[in-house]
Amino acid sequence: KRGGLRRVRGKVRGVWVRVRRRLRLHDGVRGRTRIARRERRHALFRHERKPTHHHCFPHRLGTQPVSKILVPFKSVPDPYEAAAPGSSGATAKSVINPFDEIAIEEALRIRERGEASEIVGLTIGSATVDEQVRAAMAMGVDRAIRIDDARALDPYAVARILRAAVEKEAPQVVLMGKQAVDDDSNQVGQMLAALLGWPQATFVSKIEFIENRTRARCTPEQDGGLELIEANLPAIITTDLLLNDP
C-alpha cells in the first residue's frame, strides 16, 4: 500500500510539474503578446502622447499664456503742461491718462515674459483722440479700438460701454488705470467688475499669475501697508503709480 501510495504521489507530482511548466509557458507567451500589443499602441500614438505627462491636460501644464489682455485708456489734458494764463484748460495738449499708460506698460511687460499673447487697447471718443490711439500703438499694443462717442460720459456710462466691448473681445484680464486725472472719479473699474460679475483687484502695485495662469496674485497698496489679493481669471485689475515707470 505504501509503495502504491508513493507511486500515485509521484505521478500526481509529475503531472503538477508539467501543468506548472505549461502555465509558465502560457503566461510567458501571453505576457510577450501583451507587451508587443502595448508597444504597437504606443508607437501608433507616440506623436500624441509623451511618457512624462500624457495624463495631464495642456492647461494644467502651465504652458498656455493668458491669451488676451484688454487695456482701456482715456485721453486727458496733459497734467504736466500748464495752459496759458487766462485761457481754458481745454487748450492744453491731450495725452493718454498717466494711470492708463502704466496699465499699458504693465501689459507689455507681461507679454514680454511670455504670459500673454495679445494686447488690445480700447478708448472712447471722437476722432480727436486718434493721436492717443497712435501713441498706444507706438507703445506696442497689438490692436487698438476707438469707440466713436463724443458725449461727456459719466463713469457708469463708460462702464456699460466697456462691458459690451469686453463681452465681444473676451479677454482674460482687463488692465486699466485706477482713475483718470481729469475727473479722479475712480469708479469705472469697480463698476465694470460689478456689471460683468468678475473679481477685481484695485490700486495694484504688483501683478503675478499663479496656478498655471488661471489666477492673478495682486498686491494693492493701502493706507496701512500692502495687501495680498488672489483672484480667478478673468478679472478686472486697476493699476497704481508704483506698479511701474513707463
Side-chain angles (χ1 to χ4, degrees), residues 39-106:
E39 289 179 350
R40 288 196 301 269
R41 185 169 60 250
H42 287 178
L44 180 63
F45 296 103
R46 188 172 292 121
H47 64 285
E48 296 181 1
R49 290 187 170 186
K50 295 183 180 180
T52 55
H53 51 70
H54 64 273
H55 295 294
C56 300
F57 295 100
H59 69 275
R60 296 179 183 173
L61 299 177
T63 59
Q64 299 296 323
V66 175
S67 61
K68 185 185 296 185
I69 299 178
L70 182 68
V71 186
F73 61 93
K74 184 180 181 181
S75 176
V76 298
D78 190 351
Y80 305 106
E81 181 178 326
S87 62
S88 63
T91 59
K93 176 184 176 182
S94 295
V95 296
I96 297 176
N97 176 46
F99 289 101
D100 297 334
E101 194 174 14
I102 292 173
I104 295 175
E105 176 65 25
E106 187 64 23

Side-chain angles (χ1 to χ4, degrees), residues 23-215:
L23 287 175
R24 284 199 298 268
L25 179 62
H26 176 72
D27 290 341
V29 172
R30 186 173 59 181
R32 288 194 297 270
T33 303
R34 188 184 301 113
I35 293 172
R37 188 184 303 115
R38 185 170 62 247
E39 289 179 350
R40 288 196 301 269
R41 185 169 60 250
H42 287 178
L44 180 63
F45 296 103
R46 188 172 292 121
H47 64 285
E48 296 181 1
R49 290 187 170 186
K50 295 183 180 180
T52 55
H53 51 70
H54 64 273
H55 295 294
C56 300
F57 295 100
H59 69 275
R60 296 179 183 173
L61 299 177
T63 59
Q64 299 296 323
V66 175
S67 61
K68 185 185 296 185
I69 299 178
L70 182 68
V71 186
F73 61 93
K74 184 180 181 181
S75 176
V76 298
D78 190 351
Y80 305 106
E81 181 178 326
S87 62
S88 63
T91 59
K93 176 184 176 182
S94 295
V95 296
I96 297 176
N97 176 46
F99 289 101
D100 297 334
E101 194 174 14
I102 292 173
I104 295 175
E105 176 65 25
E106 187 64 23
L108 297 175
R109 296 184 181 187
I110 293 172
R111 187 183 63 185
E112 288 177 358
R113 296 197 299 265
E115 297 178 337
S117 58
E118 184 181 16
I119 302 172
V120 181
L122 174 66
T123 190
I124 304 172
S126 62
T128 57
V129 303
D130 284 345
E131 182 179 354
Q132 284 67 57
V133 173
R134 289 190 290 269
M137 294 290 293
M139 289 183 67
V141 301
D142 298 296
R143 292 189 292 121
I145 302 171
R146 179 176 66 84
I147 299 176
D148 191 11
D149 195 330
R151 296 174 297 173
L153 302 173
D154 61 8
Y156 182 62
V158 174
R160 292 182 63 185
I161 294 174
L162 292 180
R163 178 185 64 176
V166 169
E167 291 175 347
K168 182 178 180 180
E169 289 291 330
Q172 278 63 52
V173 177
V174 176
L175 189 60
M176 58 192 302
K178 67 175 184 178
Q179 64 191 67
V181 297
D182 56 350
D183 57 13
D184 289 328
S185 65
N186 184 24
Q187 295 175 336
V188 175
Q190 293 87 331
M191 289 181 176
L192 179 60
L195 291 173
L196 291 170
W198 288 9
Q200 58 176 303
T202 57
F203 307 99
V204 170
S205 59
K206 183 179 179 181
I207 303 172
E208 56 182 334
F209 297 105
I210 59 175
E211 297 183 13
N212 300 326
R213 298 167 190 149
T214 60
R215 292 169 61 85

